[in-house]
Amino acid sequence: MKHTNINEGGMDALDTSAIKFDIALEPLQTANGLAIDYSTRRAVVDKTNNRVVGTCGKHYKPTAYYQIADRVNLGLMKSNLDLSDITVIDNLYDGGAKWHRKIQFNKIEKSLAKKDDIIKLELNIHSSLDLSRKISSIFGAIRLWCLNGCVTSDYNVARHFKQTLGLNSNWLADNSVSALVNFENNKLMFDKMLATSVSDEDVAKFFRDTIAKLSKPTGNAVDGFVYHSKDKLTSLMNRYAKEVRLCGGSNLWSVYNTLTNYSTHVSNQDWTGTTVNEKGKVVKADLVGAKHNVIYNRELAVAKSLNHELFKQVA
């Protein structure tokens, strides 16, 4: 189940009423009514309706979503960011077990070296009450031409914290201080990508080493082991060929936009492939898994891939 709320305007758009519910930790029971040791596992309960939205162990203390948003809002209001025209999108998933807030700063844009390519400053905040996602607050960008979310390596190495006991969340309010500087640095990095040529062989190797790489090799010692998904590699290279035409040639910007298309437009046929329906017609296959989980996990995978040697030349 997904619930979406969109606010547009000035600072008033930062309102948290759509995600405002307090939580409490309470004892758990089995389906047969047997008590579960409170020190082992406990329920995370939405106090507005006494509904269990997650569970956690003794070392964790989940934070209500609105409290996270309030801390971020405090930092935004103290920053030099232009808040006169913003769009705030709150998504609650799985009955409130997961939360994603996206803040788009509509007056903070930069033109890239490639003609007509513009990026807009964006802040993504994630958390969960089932502890499937860490608390994160990461400034990035959205590419207006195709609405790709511009993932950077920060998605993996910065502003991700487990909700453990004693977590000091003051960093949520401080995150806005360097937002404009980082936005400019990202713009310069994207321009470097556009100016950096790559060969098809280098691109294929990059995809084999990262996104197409299997978590466990298949095959055997006799016939040989396979370390990457051939189907996924084909999909990535086919999409890259499209990006080469759209992004000014065989360069890192085309590789990067292949990655962000993969993590943003997860339902596109480029990534789902095709199937045959009951009438024997070839149609787009359905996405496997909940869309919000697929996007979240792919963004992390893309961020990790940017640490590859191919991208270190523009870091």
Side-chain angles (χ1 to χ4, degrees):
M1 183 180 72
K2 173 183 174 182
H3 174 74
T4 300
N5 184 77
I6 301 175
N7 289 328
E8 297 177 309
M11 285 192 294
D12 57 325
L14 296 171
D15 179 70
T16 60
S17 57
I19 55 170
K20 192 160 190 176
F21 61 91
D22 287 301
I23 57 174
L25 299 180
E26 296 186 1
L28 271 173
Q29 290 184 335
T30 67
N32 296 327
L34 298 176
I36 296 176
D37 187 348
Y38 188 75
S39 65
T40 303
R41 204 78 190 163
R42 54 201 71 176
V44 183
V45 178
D46 177 350
K47 294 303 293 181
T48 61
N49 53 25
N50 289 321
R51 187 171 53 85
V52 175
V53 290
T55 65
C56 68
K58 63 181 180 180
H59 297 298
Y60 289 82
K61 187 178 181 182
T63 304
Y65 300 143
Y66 78 90
Q67 293 176 335
I68 295 171
D70 283 345
R71 288 182 176 89
V72 174
N73 290 350
L74 179 64
L76 290 173
M77 289 185 281
K78 288 182 177 180
S79 74
N80 59 347
L81 295 173
D82 189 340
L83 303 178
S84 62
D85 182 6
I86 59 175
T87 301
V88 182
I89 306 168
D90 282 304
N91 284 309
L92 289 172
Y93 301 108
D94 301 339
K98 302 175 183 70
W99 166 61
H100 175 208
R101 167 169 277 204
K102 179 180 294 187
I103 304 176
Q104 296 174 346
F105 302 83
N106 298 318
K107 288 191 175 181
I108 305 178
E109 298 180 351
K110 285 188 177 293
S111 297
L112 301 182
K114 183 177 179 297
K115 185 180 178 182
D116 300 327
D117 236 341
I118 299 172
I119 56 173
K120 178 192 296 183
L121 183 65
E122 184 175 80
L123 174 61
N124 283 281
I125 308 163
H126 287 278
S127 188
S128 66
L129 297 176
D130 60 5
L131 302 186
S132 60
R133 301 181 184 182
K134 300 175 183 178
I135 298 176
S136 63
S137 176
I138 302 169
F139 280 95
I142 183 170
R143 186 182 176 211
L144 300 187
W145 184 80
C146 59
L147 300 183
N148 282 7
C150 295
V151 177
T152 67
S153 57
D154 281 352
Y155 272 68
N156 264 336
V157 300
R159 304 302 183 188
H160 270 83
F161 294 90
K162 291 182 179 181
Q163 302 184 54
T164 50
L165 292 171
L167 170 66
N168 185 339
S169 54
N170 289 336
W171 61 270
L172 287 163
D174 300 333
N175 197 26
S176 305
V177 175
S178 58
L180 290 178
V181 173
N182 290 338
F183 189 48
E184 173 63 21
N185 289 339
N186 283 338
K187 176 250 188 300
L188 295 175
M189 180 178 67
F190 297 150
D191 286 343
K192 285 182 183 178
M193 289 181 187
L194 181 65
T196 303
S197 298
V198 292
S199 68
D200 285 355
E201 292 76 15
D202 287 340
V203 175
K205 182 181 185 305
F206 165 74
F207 287 141
R208 287 197 301 269
D209 291 345
T210 58
I211 303 300
K213 186 177 180 179
L214 297 172
S215 57
K216 282 186 177 182
T218 60
N220 55 66
V222 176
D223 300 319
F225 291 101
V226 177
Y227 296 92
H228 68 275
S229 165
K230 294 181 180 180
D231 288 342
K232 183 172 284 189
L233 177 61
T234 298
S235 296
L236 288 162
M237 291 303 293
N238 286 343
R239 181 67 215 185
Y240 170 67
K242 295 179 182 179
E243 295 295 344
V244 166
R245 297 192 294 272
L246 298 170
C247 295
S250 300
N251 53 56
L252 270 184
W253 185 235
S254 298
V255 181
Y256 178 76
N257 278 283
T258 301
L259 294 171
T260 56
N261 188 287
Y262 169 77
S263 62
T264 303
H265 305 290
V266 298
S267 297
N268 282 8
Q269 185 171 311
D270 284 341
W271 311 118
T272 63
T274 59
T275 188
V276 178
N277 65 14
E278 64 278 3
K279 296 181 179 180
K281 184 179 180 181
V282 176
V283 296
K284 184 179 80 69
D286 291 331
L287 179 69
V288 177
K291 185 175 180 178
H292 64 91
N293 285 331
V294 175
I295 291 174
Y296 181 79
N297 291 326
R298 286 190 183 181
E299 285 179 344
L300 293 179
V302 167
K304 184 177 180 181
S305 77
L306 297 178
N307 293 316
H308 189 274
E309 288 297 325
L310 190 67
F311 277 92
K312 285 185 178 179
Q313 55 191 316
V314 296

